[in-house]
């Protein structure tokens, strides 16, 4: 199998696991408090990242205090905030709706870079933002969207903003940190932050349902650890712009898995929403690729 074809396969599998986090979060939401679930997710994943660092002889870099502060904020917002808000939102909304909203991540991250970092917006970014917004509006204006699901969708979009802040903060590190090292740090710091918050807000749970606990373990081992390995195995075989195109697989997989596993019906509004989001992500990626090739 050609190297780039292998890359495409790994990236597709990685994004399918990302889409499956919506399904896992839906199961978790039905039986476990969100902060407790987040702490358990990181507690399960962290030893595996440490093992990967040991196997690859990866060491912690020397970092200035400013970078450590950024990493703690990243873990609090991008890791703990994302997981907690996603689980909280899925108590109120459907996995299919959440999958469409999660798909806007690349566009929201780009929009925040424009708004916060003052990056000059290209016309392709403006079009992508408009399409992504239209996709979310399809979900928000659906006849099935009651007050509860609207709040749930808002919480899921808050999770997207948290993950976008993670990407934004990454640009402010004094020097790049290897992906494996950063993932280990995010899970380790995220565990501490989530555990403290869970004990203060939710207390010690009296019982952990087997279904919710199984979903937490799945979330930790498959999307978090295996998804990381698959993504970077694929990303090293293709260009960065090509890899970014595969983020469009995540919302599609979330929508299909919600239908196949949870039995959620697919409405025309959801299909219209996913169509807009896919057009935004793929269109932005194609235009970025053309810009890169033109240089």
């Amino acid at each position: 199998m050609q190297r780039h074809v292998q890359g495409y396969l790994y990236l597709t599998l990685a994004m399918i696991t990302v889409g499956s986090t919506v399904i896992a979060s839906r199961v978790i939401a039905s039986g476990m408090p969100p902060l407790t679930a987040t702490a358990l997710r990181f507690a399960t994943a962290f030893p595996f990242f440490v093992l990967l660092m040991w196997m690859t002889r990866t060491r912690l870099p020397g970092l200035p205090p400013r970078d450590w502060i950024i990493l703690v904020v990243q873990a609090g917002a991008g890791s703990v905030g994302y997981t907690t808000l996603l689980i909280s939102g899925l108590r109120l909304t459907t996995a299919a709706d959440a999958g469409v909203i999660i798909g806007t991540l690349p566009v929201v991250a780009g929009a925040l870079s424009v708004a916060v970092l003052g990056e000059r917006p290209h016309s392709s970014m403006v079009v992508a933002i408009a399409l992504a917004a239209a996709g979310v509006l399809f979900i928000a204006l659906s006849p099935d969207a009651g007050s509860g699901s609207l709040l749930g969708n808002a919480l899921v979009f808050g999770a997207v903003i948290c993950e976008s802040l993670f990407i934004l903060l990454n640009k402010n590190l004094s020097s790049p940190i290897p992906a494996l090292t950063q993932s280990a740090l995010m899970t380790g710091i995220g565990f501490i932050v989530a555990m403290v918050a869970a004990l203060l807000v939710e207390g010690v749970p009296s019982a952990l349902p087997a279904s919710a606990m199984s979903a937490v373990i799945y979330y930790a081992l498959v999307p978090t650890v295996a998804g990381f390995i698959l993504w970077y195995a694929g990303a090293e075989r293709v260009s960065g712009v090509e890899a970014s195109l595969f983020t469009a697989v995540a919302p599609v997989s979330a929508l299909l898995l919600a239908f196949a596993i949870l039995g959620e019906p697919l409405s025309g509004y959801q299909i219209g929403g996913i169509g807009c989001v896919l057009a935004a992500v793929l269109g932005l990626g194609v235009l970025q690729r053309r810009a890169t090739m033109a240089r």
Side-chain angles (χ1 to χ4, degrees):
M1 187 183 294
Q2 293 183 351
R3 182 177 174 84
H4 74 279
V5 176
Q6 285 182 328
Y8 295 159
L9 176 61
Y10 292 149
L11 292 171
T12 300
L13 291 174
M15 287 297 100
I16 289 174
T17 70
V18 171
S20 72
T21 62
V22 176
I23 312 304
S25 297
R26 177 73 166 173
V27 176
I28 294 167
S30 65
M32 192 180 296
L35 286 168
T36 299
T38 302
L40 289 172
R41 172 202 169 191
F42 293 134
T44 305
F46 180 62
F48 288 90
F49 281 116
V50 172
L51 178 62
L52 286 172
M53 288 184 67
W54 177 77
M55 291 172 63
T56 56
R57 297 181 180 180
T58 303
R59 296 184 178 182
L60 285 174
L63 298 172
R66 176 181 175 276
D67 281 6
W68 280 109
I69 293 172
I70 291 175
L71 288 172
V72 171
V73 176
Q74 276 187 303
S79 298
V80 177
Y82 173 84
T83 308
T84 303
L85 286 172
L86 180 60
I87 294 172
S88 299
L90 280 162
R91 288 183 169 184
L92 302 170
T93 192
T94 65
D97 282 3
V100 175
I101 296 168
I102 291 296
T104 65
L105 174 59
V107 181
V108 173
L112 279 181
S113 293
V114 171
V116 178
L117 299 181
E119 295 181 2
R120 185 177 178 181
H122 297 285
S123 57
S124 58
M125 174 60 72
V126 176
V127 173
I129 291 171
L131 283 170
V136 174
L137 281 175
F138 264 107
I139 301 301
L141 299 178
S142 167
D144 299 326
S147 59
S149 61
L150 284 174
L151 176 59
N153 290 337
L155 290 170
V156 174
F157 190 69
V160 172
I161 293 175
C162 283
E163 188 68 11
S164 300
L165 289 174
F166 177 95
I167 297 169
L168 198 67
L169 287 167
N170 218 44
K171 297 179 180 181
N172 287 283
L173 291 169
S174 59
S175 59
I177 300 174
L180 177 56
T181 304
Q182 189 164 22
S183 292
L185 287 170
M186 289 300 99
T187 52
I189 298 171
F191 165 64
I192 295 171
V193 173
M195 180 184 66
V196 172
L199 290 174
L200 291 174
V201 176
E202 298 168 351
V204 179
S206 57
L208 297 174
S211 59
M213 193 64 217
S214 297
V216 168
I217 293 172
Y218 170 84
Y219 197 153
L221 299 185
V222 179
T224 306
V225 178
F228 168 86
I229 295 171
L230 285 167
W231 178 260
Y232 284 99
E236 70 178 8
R237 289 168 169 80
V238 303
S239 70
V241 174
E242 284 180 308
S244 69
L245 293 174
F246 282 84
T247 59
V249 174
V252 175
S253 67
L255 208 65
L256 295 178
L257 289 171
F259 173 76
I261 297 176
L262 301 179
E264 293 184 359
L266 299 181
S267 70
Y269 285 87
Q270 290 166 338
I271 294 171
I274 199 70
C276 289
V277 170
L278 288 179
V281 175
L282 292 175
L284 185 60
V286 169
L287 289 170
Q288 286 176 340
R289 183 179 183 184
R290 288 177 180 175
T292 301
M293 293 175 64
R295 291 173 185 171

